[in-house]
Amino acid sequence: MSLRSLLIGLALAGSGFSLVSQDGQTGRLPAMGWSTWNEYECAINETVILEVAELLISLGLKDLGYNYVNIDDCWSDKSNQRDNGTGRIRPDYAKFPGGIKHTADEVHKLGLKVGIYGDAGDTTCGGYAGSLGHEQIDAKTFADWGIDCKLHTLYTPHHCSPLLDLKYDNCAVADEWDDEYRWWPENWLGGPPAEDQSAGGDGEARPIPAPAGYDWTTSKSFTRYKTMSDALLATNRTIEYSQCAWGHAHIEQWGNATGHSWRMWGDIYPEWYDKHQYSWGIMPILNHASFFNNDTDFWGHGDWDMLEVGNGNLTLQESRSHFALWAALKSPLIIGTPLHGIEPEILEILSNKELIDFNQDPVFGAAAKPYKWGINADWTWNQSHPAEYWSGRSSKGVHVFALNTLNATQTKAIDFAEVPELDAEAEYTVFDSWTGKEQGNFKGRYEAVVESHDTAVIRLIETSDAGYGASHYQL
Ligand code: GAL
């Protein structure tokens, strides 16, 4: 058995590229796991990480697929950033007394994977060491920490699995690395075809329109992310590469050539409509996703940011919608809430097997797509009322998501003639994805009473095949 599981380069897939992994596994499906950032920010240490690892197991989340424990920003030594001799980033030994390798080994012993965080600039967003200009040494350091095959094979005897994710952020980019043209989605107002960036910020954030047909792989953003991609490829490890470029430089057009996922927007915040400093609520992000969901498929996933389920001001209904729609978008499902003392109803949302199965389907790789906006005319750009009706196919049937963006309970009608995957004439057996319960057989239309900001999720199987479907989902 080879201990070397290497990323291999660019394999052409359709019109785009695809960075496939030689292990035939890493990055094929959206990543699942937990990350420190949304709730702990810089208040992290080995104890936090190891407690989470234990809880992922004892709460049953690991068995559902949540297998990455991701250490986000603030893990390294802020003042003494690199070792003078080796040039390697120095961990913060107050937070991680045995270094990151020790923490990683402990996580690996539990059969879980580790994620680490870096930045394609001079510093991370928190002001810790960045990797621009240090890509080779940093990739090697991360690879050295990421894997201990001897240990891991105790738990999965078949082969030495990939154990590392690198989230690569986009802060502190020096002027000489500025893109010639500037496209930041948060400045993107009005929606196509009336794209208007004139409300974009001043100075650094000011949009600089690119000529029609501009090839964004000639941008410096592409070069910065590709340089780290090449450095990761040159290590003898398979590393899942999560590019956190916030949708800049149209990364959805090239992120699959350089990595496995790409952040599509600024930071998420546990609010429904609002914006908080540089972070955004669920609806503005979903509004952008209503227009940019076509680039996700096997091996490459638009990342709509880590989950806020259970955090901040989100109601239970809002947490349900957030989880259902992120699963539908095939976004990485990275839990961002503390696990100790987690409320049972929040755990239940994160553990919804039907939604996880849609997100992780082995046969259908594309994200769900909106088929109707609902409140607004189709293709209306609106940060409070994005597309409400979404559908997609999985190996377990057709899935329909109906979001209620209004402040009162609504009856949402799912008209089969409007759903691209359904046949208006056929009879379907409908399952409620929240309860797993069969709702009966329906022709033409299904109606669901949906509380404010909640999402009805149903799975439909042609009634003639329904025995198959029922036996596949017992929640
Ligand atoms: C942001 C990133 C967040 C988090 C944070 C850490 O740029 O989008 O997800 O990683 O930096 O400072």
Side-chain angles (χ1 to χ4, degrees):
M1 176 192 70
S2 166
L3 294 185
R4 294 162 63 90
S5 49
L6 300 176
L7 283 170
I8 58 169
L10 308 175
L12 289 173
S15 58
F17 307 100
S18 199
L19 184 74
V20 292
S21 304
Q22 185 165 299
D23 66 354
Q25 174 185 339
T26 299
R28 181 171 190 265
L29 300 174
M32 290 179 70
W34 182 94
S35 160
T36 51
W37 183 254
N38 283 356
E39 279 292 281
Y40 292 81
E41 298 196 342
C42 288
I44 56 171
N45 55 45
E46 182 174 86
T47 310
V48 167
I49 301 299
L50 298 186
E51 266 177 20
V52 162
E54 299 277 1
L55 281 162
L56 283 171
I57 295 167
S58 60
L59 295 171
L61 293 166
K62 174 176 177 262
D63 285 344
L64 286 164
Y66 294 98
N67 53 20
Y68 276 111
V69 185
N70 291 351
I71 305 171
D72 207 283
D73 202 356
C74 313
W75 57 264
S76 65
D77 188 328
K78 201 169 185 175
S79 41
N80 195 1
Q81 297 197 339
R82 289 181 183 272
D83 184 282
N84 285 338
T86 62
R88 288 182 180 232
I89 301 182
R90 287 167 44 86
D92 181 337
Y93 289 104
K95 292 173 180 164
F96 297 92
I100 300 294
K101 176 81 168 89
H102 179 265
T103 309
D105 286 351
E106 293 302 307
V107 173
H108 294 155
K109 279 188 206 169
L110 298 169
L112 291 158
K113 309 178 191 188
V114 173
I116 196 76
Y117 163 97
D119 188 281
D122 293 336
T123 69
T124 70
C125 302
Y128 298 76
S131 294
L132 190 64
H134 305 269
E135 289 87 352
Q136 282 75 21
I137 186 73
D138 290 354
K140 186 157 181 355
T141 305
F142 301 148
D144 288 348
W145 292 342
I147 199 157
D148 184 331
C149 284
K150 233 169 48 206
L151 266 181
H152 190 63
T153 47
L154 290 176
Y155 298 89
T156 47
H158 308 302
H159 60 100
C160 184
S161 289
L163 292 176
L164 187 69
D165 174 277
L166 172 66
K167 170 173 169 178
Y168 204 44
D169 215 339
N170 198 27
C171 271
V173 177
D175 290 352
E176 75 256 32
W177 280 100
D178 273 352
D179 287 336
E180 189 180 357
Y181 304 110
R182 191 173 296 130
W183 195 88
W184 294 13
E186 289 165 53
N187 294 335
W188 187 84
L189 304 173
E195 177 175 338
D196 168 17
Q197 294 205 350
S198 57
D202 297 329
E204 242 217 326
R206 195 171 42 83
I208 307 175
Y214 177 68
D215 175 1
W216 287 93
T217 68
T218 63
S219 69
K220 291 183 184 169
S221 288
F222 176 85
T223 304
R224 287 185 296 116
Y225 279 85
K226 171 97 164 57
T227 306
M228 180 52 92
S229 177
D230 290 343
L232 296 173
L233 284 162
T235 70
N236 61 348
R237 307 290 187 235
T238 295
I239 298 175
E240 182 141 8
Y241 186 30
S242 312
Q243 303 162 108
C244 183
W246 317 315
H248 289 192
H250 274 297
I251 191 171
E252 79 284 354
Q253 294 177 12
W254 50 264
N256 203 193
T258 47
H260 297 110
S261 64
W262 48 92
R263 266 277 293 282
M264 286 295 291
W265 187 260
D267 287 8
I268 195 169
Y269 199 72
E271 299 261 2
W272 189 244
Y273 297 123
D274 289 337
K275 181 170 186 267
H276 176 81
Q277 293 175 338
Y278 301 108
S279 305
W280 301 74
I282 309 301
M283 288 300 97
I285 299 179
L286 188 70
N287 176 51
H288 194 61
S290 304
F291 294 90
F292 285 87
N293 46 61
N294 280 326
D295 304 289
T296 284
D297 210 323
F298 292 126
W299 305 111
H301 298 95
D303 175 357
W304 298 97
D305 207 356
M306 303 172 291
L307 298 169
E308 295 281 14
V309 172
N311 291 346
N313 292 335
L314 296 181
T315 64
L316 204 57
Q317 290 77 5
E318 291 169 349
S319 273
R320 279 155 56 99
S321 291
H322 172 25
F323 187 72
L325 292 158
W326 264 234
L329 286 162
K330 305 228 179 195
S331 183
L333 296 178
I334 307 295
I335 298 171
T337 201
L339 294 182
H340 56 262
I342 187 171
E343 298 295 333
E345 56 272 27
I346 296 299
L347 182 62
E348 195 182 322
I349 294 172
L350 295 168
S351 305
N352 185 295
K353 181 121 174 64
E354 266 206 44
L355 291 169
I356 293 172
D357 282 354
F358 180 82
N359 182 266
Q360 299 285 306
D361 195 85
V363 180
F364 294 87
K369 312 249 179 293
Y371 66 85
K372 188 166 83 170
W373 261 241
I375 298 301
N376 290 306
D378 291 353
W379 306 108
T380 299
W381 191 95
N382 185 306
Q383 292 196 322
S384 309
H385 303 290
E388 290 191 325
Y389 294 87
W390 298 68
S391 65
R393 191 183 289 282
S394 83
S395 50
K396 311 282 169 56
V398 173
H399 302 243
V400 180
F401 308 79
L403 161 70
N404 175 7
T405 62
L406 297 179
N407 293 330
T409 299
Q410 301 285 314
T411 298
K412 307 296 281 189
I414 293 161
D415 182 343
F416 297 177
E418 292 174 347
V419 181
E421 295 85 357
L422 296 180
D423 174 352
E425 304 303 320
E427 184 177 78
Y428 291 92
T429 304
V430 173
F431 299 86
D432 180 324
S433 299
W434 292 114
T435 62
K437 294 220 171 80
E438 187 173 325
Q439 304 297 297
N441 297 339
F442 295 82
K443 234 179 141 182
R445 186 182 174 90
Y446 178 83
E447 288 187 355
V449 176
V450 187
E451 285 181 72
S452 168
H453 300 181
D454 204 351
T455 296
V457 187
I458 58 169
R459 180 172 58 93
L460 305 96
I461 299 173
E462 278 211 45
T463 300
S464 48
D465 298 333
Y468 166 83
S471 65
H472 273 65
Y473 279 114
Q474 296 302 327
L475 292 185

PDB file of all heavy atoms in Angstrom, residues 112-137:
ATOM      1  N   LEU A 112     -10.790  11.319  13.289  1.00  0.00           N
ATOM      2  CA  LEU A 112     -11.273  12.561  12.663  1.00  0.00           C
ATOM      3  C   LEU A 112     -10.146  13.236  11.895  1.00  0.00           C
ATOM      4  O   LEU A 112      -8.976  12.875  12.061  1.00  0.00           O
ATOM      5  CB  LEU A 112     -11.800  13.502  13.757  1.00  0.00           C
ATOM      6  CG  LEU A 112     -13.097  13.037  14.433  1.00  0.00           C
ATOM      7  CD1 LEU A 112     -13.257  13.682  15.800  1.00  0.00           C
ATOM      8  CD2 LEU A 112     -14.305  13.354  13.551  1.00  0.00           C
ATOM      9  N   LYS A 113     -10.494  14.212  11.094  1.00  0.00           N
ATOM     10  CA  LYS A 113      -9.506  14.938  10.293  1.00  0.00           C
ATOM     11  C   LYS A 113      -9.313  16.337  10.862  1.00  0.00           C
ATOM     12  O   LYS A 113     -10.202  16.868  11.527  1.00  0.00           O
ATOM     13  CB  LYS A 113      -9.989  15.051   8.849  1.00  0.00           C
ATOM     14  CG  LYS A 113     -10.415  13.724   8.242  1.00  0.00           C
ATOM     15  CD  LYS A 113     -10.920  13.935   6.845  1.00  0.00           C
ATOM     16  CE  LYS A 113     -11.606  12.682   6.322  1.00  0.00           C
ATOM     17  NZ  LYS A 113     -11.948  12.776   4.911  1.00  0.00           N
ATOM     18  N   VAL A 114      -8.208  16.949  10.505  1.00  0.00           N
ATOM     19  CA  VAL A 114      -7.893  18.267  11.045  1.00  0.00           C
ATOM     20  C   VAL A 114      -7.889  19.301   9.920  1.00  0.00           C
ATOM     21  O   VAL A 114      -7.440  19.015   8.815  1.00  0.00           O
ATOM     22  CB  VAL A 114      -6.500  18.244  11.712  1.00  0.00           C
ATOM     23  CG1 VAL A 114      -6.083  19.650  12.117  1.00  0.00           C
ATOM     24  CG2 VAL A 114      -6.526  17.352  12.926  1.00  0.00           C
ATOM     25  N   GLY A 115      -8.385  20.487  10.225  1.00  0.00           N
ATOM     26  CA  GLY A 115      -8.274  21.587   9.276  1.00  0.00           C
ATOM     27  C   GLY A 115      -7.403  22.677   9.870  1.00  0.00           C
ATOM     28  O   GLY A 115      -7.466  22.962  11.068  1.00  0.00           O
ATOM     29  N   ILE A 116      -6.595  23.278   9.033  1.00  0.00           N
ATOM     30  CA  ILE A 116      -5.758  24.384   9.475  1.00  0.00           C
ATOM     31  C   ILE A 116      -6.068  25.581   8.565  1.00  0.00           C
ATOM     32  O   ILE A 116      -6.730  25.419   7.538  1.00  0.00           O
ATOM     33  CB  ILE A 116      -4.261  23.994   9.485  1.00  0.00           C
ATOM     34  CG1 ILE A 116      -3.426  24.955  10.295  1.00  0.00           C
ATOM     35  CG2 ILE A 116      -3.731  23.841   8.061  1.00  0.00           C
ATOM     36  CD1 ILE A 116      -3.572  24.777  11.786  1.00  0.00           C
ATOM     37  N   TYR A 117      -5.586  26.743   8.947  1.00  0.00           N
ATOM     38  CA  TYR A 117      -5.990  27.987   8.290  1.00  0.00           C
ATOM     39  C   TYR A 117      -4.752  28.791   7.928  1.00  0.00           C
ATOM     40  O   TYR A 117      -3.800  28.869   8.723  1.00  0.00           O
ATOM     41  CB  TYR A 117      -6.883  28.748   9.275  1.00  0.00           C
ATOM     42  CG  TYR A 117      -7.095  30.217   8.992  1.00  0.00           C
ATOM     43  CD1 TYR A 117      -8.226  30.654   8.317  1.00  0.00           C
ATOM     44  CD2 TYR A 117      -6.176  31.164   9.417  1.00  0.00           C
ATOM     45  CE1 TYR A 117      -8.430  32.012   8.075  1.00  0.00           C
ATOM     46  CE2 TYR A 117      -6.377  32.510   9.178  1.00  0.00           C
ATOM     47  CZ  TYR A 117      -7.498  32.928   8.508  1.00  0.00           C
ATOM     48  OH  TYR A 117      -7.704  34.258   8.270  1.00  0.00           O
ATOM     49  N   GLY A 118      -4.759  29.376   6.752  1.00  0.00           N
ATOM     50  CA  GLY A 118      -3.672  30.244   6.328  1.00  0.00           C
ATOM     51  C   GLY A 118      -4.231  31.405   5.519  1.00  0.00           C
ATOM     52  O   GLY A 118      -5.450  31.558   5.382  1.00  0.00           O
ATOM     53  N   ASP A 119      -3.363  32.205   4.952  1.00  0.00           N
ATOM     54  CA  ASP A 119      -3.823  33.409   4.259  1.00  0.00           C
ATOM     55  C   ASP A 119      -2.913  33.733   3.082  1.00  0.00           C
ATOM     56  O   ASP A 119      -1.685  33.701   3.205  1.00  0.00           O
ATOM     57  CB  ASP A 119      -3.836  34.589   5.236  1.00  0.00           C
ATOM     58  CG  ASP A 119      -4.492  35.817   4.639  1.00  0.00           C
ATOM     59  OD1 ASP A 119      -3.845  36.528   3.846  1.00  0.00           O
ATOM     60  OD2 ASP A 119      -5.680  36.048   4.958  1.00  0.00           O
ATOM     61  N   ALA A 120      -3.534  34.095   1.959  1.00  0.00           N
ATOM     62  CA  ALA A 120      -2.800  34.424   0.740  1.00  0.00           C
ATOM     63  C   ALA A 120      -2.394  35.893   0.732  1.00  0.00           C
ATOM     64  O   ALA A 120      -2.562  36.607  -0.264  1.00  0.00           O
ATOM     65  CB  ALA A 120      -3.663  34.104  -0.472  1.00  0.00           C
ATOM     66  N   GLY A 121      -1.885  36.357   1.854  1.00  0.00           N
ATOM     67  CA  GLY A 121      -1.438  37.741   1.977  1.00  0.00           C
ATOM     68  C   GLY A 121      -0.312  37.805   2.999  1.00  0.00           C
ATOM     69  O   GLY A 121       0.249  36.777   3.380  1.00  0.00           O
ATOM     70  N   ASP A 122      -0.029  39.036   3.463  1.00  0.00           N
ATOM     71  CA  ASP A 122       1.078  39.185   4.418  1.00  0.00           C
ATOM     72  C   ASP A 122       0.706  38.676   5.804  1.00  0.00           C
ATOM     73  O   ASP A 122       1.552  38.149   6.525  1.00  0.00           O
ATOM     74  CB  ASP A 122       1.496  40.654   4.507  1.00  0.00           C
ATOM     75  CG  ASP A 122       2.102  41.131   3.200  1.00  0.00           C
ATOM     76  OD1 ASP A 122       2.602  40.267   2.443  1.00  0.00           O
ATOM     77  OD2 ASP A 122       2.054  42.339   2.921  1.00  0.00           O
ATOM     78  N   THR A 123      -0.539  38.912   6.207  1.00  0.00           N
ATOM     79  CA  THR A 123      -1.006  38.379   7.493  1.00  0.00           C
ATOM     80  C   THR A 123      -2.408  37.819   7.304  1.00  0.00           C
ATOM     81  O   THR A 123      -3.088  38.114   6.308  1.00  0.00           O
ATOM     82  CB  THR A 123      -1.097  39.459   8.595  1.00  0.00           C
ATOM     83  OG1 THR A 123      -2.168  40.353   8.271  1.00  0.00           O
ATOM     84  CG2 THR A 123       0.206  40.218   8.769  1.00  0.00           C
ATOM     85  N   THR A 124      -2.840  37.066   8.285  1.00  0.00           N
ATOM     86  CA  THR A 124      -4.232  36.617   8.295  1.00  0.00           C
ATOM     87  C   THR A 124      -5.107  37.811   8.651  1.00  0.00           C
ATOM     88  O   THR A 124      -4.605  38.894   8.984  1.00  0.00           O
ATOM     89  CB  THR A 124      -4.444  35.522   9.357  1.00  0.00           C
ATOM     90  OG1 THR A 124      -4.344  36.118  10.652  1.00  0.00           O
ATOM     91  CG2 THR A 124      -3.425  34.399   9.225  1.00  0.00           C
ATOM     92  N   CYS A 125      -6.417  37.599   8.664  1.00  0.00           N
ATOM     93  CA  CYS A 125      -7.318  38.706   9.004  1.00  0.00           C
ATOM     94  C   CYS A 125      -7.128  39.120  10.458  1.00  0.00           C
ATOM     95  O   CYS A 125      -7.351  40.273  10.808  1.00  0.00           O
ATOM     96  CB  CYS A 125      -8.765  38.305   8.724  1.00  0.00           C
ATOM     97  SG  CYS A 125      -8.987  37.835   7.000  1.00  0.00           S
ATOM     98  N   GLY A 126      -6.678  38.208  11.289  1.00  0.00           N
ATOM     99  CA  GLY A 126      -6.421  38.534  12.684  1.00  0.00           C
ATOM    100  C   GLY A 126      -5.016  39.080  12.913  1.00  0.00           C
ATOM    101  O   GLY A 126      -4.639  39.353  14.056  1.00  0.00           O
ATOM    102  N   GLY A 127      -4.205  39.192  11.860  1.00  0.00           N
ATOM    103  CA  GLY A 127      -2.862  39.755  11.998  1.00  0.00           C
ATOM    104  C   GLY A 127      -1.775  38.727  12.299  1.00  0.00           C
ATOM    105  O   GLY A 127      -0.674  39.083  12.713  1.00  0.00           O
ATOM    106  N   TYR A 128      -2.045  37.468  12.068  1.00  0.00           N
ATOM    107  CA  TYR A 128      -1.049  36.405  12.278  1.00  0.00           C
ATOM    108  C   TYR A 128      -0.323  36.130  10.949  1.00  0.00           C
ATOM    109  O   TYR A 128      -0.715  36.659   9.903  1.00  0.00           O
ATOM    110  CB  TYR A 128      -1.745  35.151  12.799  1.00  0.00           C
ATOM    111  CG  TYR A 128      -2.421  35.367  14.143  1.00  0.00           C
ATOM    112  CD1 TYR A 128      -3.627  36.066  14.241  1.00  0.00           C
ATOM    113  CD2 TYR A 128      -1.832  34.907  15.317  1.00  0.00           C
ATOM    114  CE1 TYR A 128      -4.234  36.303  15.469  1.00  0.00           C
ATOM    115  CE2 TYR A 128      -2.427  35.134  16.556  1.00  0.00           C
ATOM    116  CZ  TYR A 128      -3.628  35.830  16.621  1.00  0.00           C
ATOM    117  OH  TYR A 128      -4.225  36.056  17.840  1.00  0.00           O
ATOM    118  N   ALA A 129       0.687  35.286  10.994  1.00  0.00           N
ATOM    119  CA  ALA A 129       1.531  35.086   9.808  1.00  0.00           C
ATOM    120  C   ALA A 129       0.719  34.693   8.576  1.00  0.00           C
ATOM    121  O   ALA A 129      -0.101  33.769   8.633  1.00  0.00           O
ATOM    122  CB  ALA A 129       2.575  34.003  10.102  1.00  0.00           C
ATOM    123  N   GLY A 130       0.970  35.373   7.470  1.00  0.00           N
ATOM    124  CA  GLY A 130       0.368  35.008   6.191  1.00  0.00           C
ATOM    125  C   GLY A 130       1.355  34.173   5.382  1.00  0.00           C
ATOM    126  O   GLY A 130       2.543  34.086   5.723  1.00  0.00           O
ATOM    127  N   SER A 131       0.879  33.590   4.295  1.00  0.00           N
ATOM    128  CA  SER A 131       1.711  32.647   3.533  1.00  0.00           C
ATOM    129  C   SER A 131       2.169  33.160   2.185  1.00  0.00           C
ATOM    130  O   SER A 131       2.921  32.465   1.497  1.00  0.00           O
ATOM    131  CB  SER A 131       0.942  31.334   3.325  1.00  0.00           C
ATOM    132  OG  SER A 131       0.729  30.687   4.559  1.00  0.00           O
ATOM    133  N   LEU A 132       1.743  34.371   1.787  1.00  0.00           N
ATOM    134  CA  LEU A 132       2.164  34.876   0.474  1.00  0.00           C
ATOM    135  C   LEU A 132       3.688  35.000   0.461  1.00  0.00           C
ATOM    136  O   LEU A 132       4.273  35.666   1.327  1.00  0.00           O
ATOM    137  CB  LEU A 132       1.495  36.228   0.198  1.00  0.00           C
ATOM    138  CG  LEU A 132       1.643  36.782  -1.216  1.00  0.00           C
ATOM    139  CD1 LEU A 132       0.972  35.883  -2.250  1.00  0.00           C
ATOM    140  CD2 LEU A 132       1.051  38.184  -1.311  1.00  0.00           C
ATOM    141  N   GLY A 133       4.318  34.332  -0.502  1.00  0.00           N
ATOM    142  CA  GLY A 133       5.782  34.320  -0.555  1.00  0.00           C
ATOM    143  C   GLY A 133       6.407  33.211   0.283  1.00  0.00           C
ATOM    144  O   GLY A 133       7.620  33.018   0.249  1.00  0.00           O
ATOM    145  N   HIS A 134       5.587  32.483   1.039  1.00  0.00           N
ATOM    146  CA  HIS A 134       6.102  31.386   1.866  1.00  0.00           C
ATOM    147  C   HIS A 134       5.342  30.093   1.554  1.00  0.00           C
ATOM    148  O   HIS A 134       5.255  29.206   2.401  1.00  0.00           O
ATOM    149  CB  HIS A 134       5.892  31.698   3.357  1.00  0.00           C
ATOM    150  CG  HIS A 134       6.467  32.994   3.817  1.00  0.00           C
ATOM    151  ND1 HIS A 134       7.750  33.116   4.311  1.00  0.00           N
ATOM    152  CD2 HIS A 134       5.934  34.241   3.856  1.00  0.00           C
ATOM    153  CE1 HIS A 134       7.978  34.382   4.645  1.00  0.00           C
ATOM    154  NE2 HIS A 134       6.896  35.089   4.366  1.00  0.00           N
ATOM    155  N   GLU A 135       4.773  30.009   0.362  1.00  0.00           N
ATOM    156  CA  GLU A 135       3.832  28.924   0.095  1.00  0.00           C
ATOM    157  C   GLU A 135       4.466  27.549   0.260  1.00  0.00           C
ATOM    158  O   GLU A 135       3.862  26.645   0.857  1.00  0.00           O
ATOM    159  CB  GLU A 135       3.238  29.046  -1.320  1.00  0.00           C
ATOM    160  CG  GLU A 135       2.266  30.209  -1.487  1.00  0.00           C
ATOM    161  CD  GLU A 135       2.928  31.525  -1.850  1.00  0.00           C
ATOM    162  OE1 GLU A 135       4.181  31.601  -1.840  1.00  0.00           O
ATOM    163  OE2 GLU A 135       2.195  32.494  -2.147  1.00  0.00           O
ATOM    164  N   GLN A 136       5.698  27.355  -0.264  1.00  0.00           N
ATOM    165  CA  GLN A 136       6.276  26.004  -0.236  1.00  0.00           C
ATOM    166  C   GLN A 136       6.525  25.536   1.189  1.00  0.00           C
ATOM    167  O   GLN A 136       6.128  24.435   1.563  1.00  0.00           O
ATOM    168  CB  GLN A 136       7.587  25.934  -1.050  1.00  0.00           C
ATOM    169  CG  GLN A 136       7.367  25.866  -2.555  1.00  0.00           C
ATOM    170  CD  GLN A 136       6.960  27.213  -3.126  1.00  0.00           C
ATOM    171  OE1 GLN A 136       7.202  28.257  -2.513  1.00  0.00           O
ATOM    172  NE2 GLN A 136       6.316  27.213  -4.272  1.00  0.00           N
ATOM    173  N   ILE A 137       7.159  26.383   1.980  1.00  0.00           N
ATOM    174  CA  ILE A 137       7.483  25.960   3.347  1.00  0.00           C
ATOM    175  C   ILE A 137       6.203  25.769   4.164  1.00  0.00           C
ATOM    176  O   ILE A 137       6.081  24.827   4.956  1.00  0.00           O
ATOM    177  CB  ILE A 137       8.467  26.952   4.026  1.00  0.00           C
ATOM    178  CG1 ILE A 137       8.909  26.429   5.396  1.00  0.00           C
ATOM    179  CG2 ILE A 137       7.915  28.343   4.180  1.00  0.00           C
ATOM    180  CD1 ILE A 137       9.854  25.281   5.359  1.00  0.00           C
TER     181      ILE A 137
END
